[in-house]
Each structure stands twice: as C-alpha cells, then as structure tokens.
Amino acid sequence: MPAFLEPAPDSLVGLRNAGGSHGRTWFPLLMLAWSVWIFLTPLFSAPAFRDWLWPTLASYAAFLVLYRHAYYRSRAHLLACALGIAALGFALTPFNPGAQGYLVYACAFLAFVARPKGAVLWMVGVLGAYALVWLWLGFPLIYLFSVLMVGLAVGLMNISIQRRTQADIALRLSHDEVRRLAGVAERERIGRDLHDLLGHTLSLVALKADLAGRLVERDPAAARREIDEVARVSRDALAQVRHAVTGIRAAELVAELASAHLLLESDEIVLHYTPPALPLPSTLETALALTVREAVTNVQRHARARQVWIALECTREHVLLRVRDDGRGGDIVPGNGLHGMGERLRALGGELRIDARPGAGTELQARLPWPRAGIAAAEPTPT
C-alpha cells in the first residue's frame, strides 16, 4: 500500500477498519469519481463560463490535499478540512457552477465532525450560506435546489452509516464480553465443584491415613484395609476430578452459542438451541464452536431468516451438529469460510453437508467421530 494511503488510527478510514470493514482503504479513491461533475458542468453551460478551466484545476489540486487529509489523517482536523472544501466551492462558483460538488463533499465530511444534531447544524449552516451566494450571483434556482437536497441526503446517509458502524463495534464488544463472562462463570463453577469434591475427599483420606497409622502395630490387617481404602478413595477422587475438569472444555461452545444468540437477536432472528449436555473432547469442542460461528455468521449475512435452530446429537460413534434456518435457501457458493470449515472437519475425520432448497431454508450438518479417549471419558447415551 502506498505510504500516502496509510490511514492514521483515528482517521475515518482507520476507524472504519477498526469497525470490521477491512479492505476499504481504497474506498475514498472510488468516491472521487463523483468529482467529474465539477468539470462537466461548465461544458454544458458554455459560453457563459469561458474562463473556468484554470481556476477549477487550481481548486481541484487544493481539494485533493484536503480530501486526503479528511479521510486518512486524524479526525482532529476533519472540521477544518470540510470547511476548507466548502470554501473552495464558495470561491470557485462565480467561475464554475459545478463547484457545488465541493459542497456535497463538504457535507459528507461534516457528518462525522460532531454528534448527529451538531453535524446537521453544520451542514444546514454551510448550505444556507452557499444558497445566499448562489442567489447573489443570480444563478438558476433549480440547480441550487439540487445541491441542497443532494448535500443533505449524502450527509444524513453518512450519519446513518456512522451510527451503524458504532453499533457494530458495540455489538462485537458485547460478543467478546459474553464469551469472557461465559468463561468466568464456567471457571467459577468448576472451582466450586472441585472445592466441594476435594474438600470432602481429602478430609476422608486424612482421617483414614491417621487411623491406619494408629493400627499399623496393633492390627496390621486392619491397617492394611484402611490403606487400601485410602487408595480406592484417591482413585475415585482422581476420576471425579478429571470428569469435572473436562467440563471446562465445553465453555467455548457454550460461549459461542450465547454469542450467536446475541448476534442473531440484533437482526431480530430467533435462535433455538440447547447447550451441550455432555463434556466434549477439546478438539471436537473447538471445531464445533468454530463451525457454529461461521454458520451463524452466514445466516445473519445472507439467509434472510427469521428463525434458526441449533442442535447437537451425541451417539457412541459420532457427534452431529445441525444448524437449520428458515431463510431463502437456494444455491450456495462456497466461500473461504465454508471451505475452511470443511477442511477443519475433514482433518478430524468428519464431514460437512449442506442442504439448501430455494424457499425452504438451509440445513448444515457437521459430523465428527468420537476419539477413543473421548468415548470412554464422556460415555454418551446411545440414541
């Protein structure tokens, strides 16, 4: 990327990238296409404006500098850049009525200089002053009406985009907080379980060890029975601790389901799901959590669904994740997300199936075999 297009962190482009719109660094260059009207308008007005070219070229050079600073440099200078672009429009209008295009760009930037009400006041003030200049010059009112309407429309649209971007950032932060709180809650639950389990077990072990120590000389057989009992209790406690600790691994999937609920709820999509009833091996749990994330993201972006169902079925042979929606269905063009999802499942010996019929929604099935250790640890009930 050219150095002059490298955005500052607090610039309009930098904040847009931070909000998740990566790859939009070149977007401002595309928006320059509308400036062609600054040069075309006087061509249609000839011969009324004979000496328009050199003033227009000089103003356009200054405009490009201000435009770059407005998009790629700190927002602390955004108001000055927007007013500077508006000033170019004021100065050029007597030579070229197409300079009203500068006012549209100025309104586009004024949308970001303050809160919505303040931004609207700035736009109204600048456009009102320009209207007075236009009337003083005696130019046709129809063209004045067009720049007022277009300038306000573009400014209000950018205000709406800014509010949506802020909402998206807040939503992403909420997702992260949901995952964090789910992890904290799970760790607290495991801590309480381990405290209750080990507190009782270790007290019993200490008691029987003391008893065996007192019996070792008087009644060696009884002492041996107590020692065997200590060993049995210790093995049982170890098994219970391992079973409790495996519950930590389900936290990621639980957090992902909670995050999916929040994401879909923001688009008024109802999610039906139940958390996993069994602890899952970490490799399976991570793969399923990532599958849920990608599937729900696709539903939110493309499916136009009103309801989504997520179900997890466990047998002694496999784990099956189903994600179904009531959206538009139809042909699905696999992107990087679906390709990555399929490769991740196949690496674990699983498979991915997608059934999408037009108007009947889409169902995604992710099937993974149980690892041998996972079958022994989880002991799922056959269905």
Side-chain angles (χ1 to χ4, degrees):
M1 179 188 303
F4 70 92
L5 292 182
E6 188 66 33
D10 62 335
S11 65
L12 290 180
V13 174
L15 291 173
R16 179 175 292 176
N17 289 346
S21 299
H22 297 286
R24 304 293 297 275
T25 304
W26 293 91
F27 178 76
L29 299 182
L30 297 178
M31 292 299 98
L32 280 175
W34 297 106
S35 65
V36 68
W37 292 106
I38 298 173
F39 294 89
L40 292 181
T41 300
L43 295 179
F44 293 105
S45 304
F49 299 92
R50 297 180 181 275
D51 301 321
W52 64 272
L53 181 58
W54 293 111
T56 301
L57 290 175
S59 71
Y60 196 74
F63 164 71
L64 291 177
V65 174
L66 293 171
Y67 184 84
R68 172 184 172 275
H69 275 71
Y71 262 119
Y72 294 97
R73 299 280 72 83
S74 172
R75 289 183 65 181
H77 309 295
L78 183 57
L79 177 59
C81 291
L83 294 179
I85 293 173
L88 291 176
F90 281 81
L92 183 64
T93 297
F95 304 95
N96 178 359
Q100 60 183 226
Y102 288 141
L103 274 296
V104 176
Y105 280 104
C107 288
F109 291 125
L110 287 172
F112 301 102
V113 301
R115 295 183 181 276
K117 289 184 179 179
V120 171
L121 289 176
W122 273 110
M123 288 186 283
V124 170
V126 169
L127 291 175
Y130 186 73
L132 294 177
V133 172
W134 189 273
L135 293 175
W136 176 68
L137 292 171
F139 291 164
L141 292 180
I142 185 63
Y143 301 114
L144 173 62
F145 180 78
S146 66
V147 70
L148 294 179
M149 292 299 99
V150 173
L152 280 176
V154 169
L156 293 175
M157 181 180 67
N158 279 353
I159 289 175
S160 176
I161 291 173
Q162 182 186 33
R163 297 185 67 177
R164 179 59 184 266
T165 300
Q166 292 171 343
D168 289 344
I169 293 174
L171 182 60
R172 250 189 314 277
L173 292 175
S174 297
H175 290 173
D176 295 340
E177 185 67 7
V178 166
R179 294 189 183 99
R180 187 187 69 81
L181 291 177
V184 170
E186 188 67 10
R187 287 193 294 271
E188 290 178 349
R189 182 188 69 80
I190 296 298
R192 289 193 300 270
D193 291 348
L194 291 177
H195 177 271
D196 295 342
L197 172 63
L198 294 180
H200 170 74
T201 302
L202 292 178
S203 297
L204 182 60
V205 167
L207 180 62
K208 288 186 172 294
D210 290 341
L211 180 58
R214 289 195 296 268
L215 292 175
V216 69
E217 294 183 359
R218 291 186 303 164
D219 190 349
R224 179 58 182 267
R225 287 195 299 272
E226 294 297 332
I227 291 174
D228 291 342
E229 184 67 13
V230 167
R232 185 190 65 78
V233 171
S234 299
R235 285 192 296 271
D236 290 345
L238 180 60
Q240 293 180 49
V241 167
R242 285 174 175 169
H243 180 73
V245 170
T246 56
I248 297 175
R249 294 173 179 171
E252 185 176 354
L253 182 54
V254 171
E256 203 58 57
L257 289 170
S259 180
H261 181 272
L262 187 63
L263 174 64
L264 295 176
E265 188 179 56
S266 68
D267 271 6
E268 299 182 353
I269 302 174
V270 179
L271 174 61
H272 307 275
Y273 74 96
T274 53
L278 297 171
L280 302 174
S282 59
T283 53
L284 267 63
E285 188 267 340
T286 299
L288 293 176
L290 294 175
T291 300
V292 167
R293 179 183 302 179
E294 182 64 31
V296 168
T297 300
N298 286 338
V299 170
Q300 188 262 344
R301 290 179 177 175
H302 309 298
R304 300 178 187 172
R306 298 268 57 88
Q307 296 189 83
V308 177
W309 293 263
I310 298 179
L312 190 66
E313 303 174 9
C314 298
T315 71
R316 289 191 180 276
E317 291 78 25
H318 62 258
V319 178
L320 177 62
L321 173 70
R322 298 176 184 267
V323 181
R324 181 170 62 90
D325 66 70
D326 62 352
R328 59 180 179 173
D331 295 334
I332 292 181
V333 179
N336 292 333
L338 289 177
H339 280 307
M341 187 191 306
E343 291 173 359
R344 191 180 304 113
L345 295 174
R346 286 190 291 272
L348 297 174
E351 62 176 352
L352 175 68
R353 293 182 56 190
I354 300 176
D355 180 18
R357 290 171 293 173
T362 301
E363 180 171 338
L364 179 147
Q365 297 183 11
R367 187 187 304 269
L368 286 169
W370 280 94
R372 293 183 179 273
I375 297 175
E379 296 183 352
T381 301
T383 59

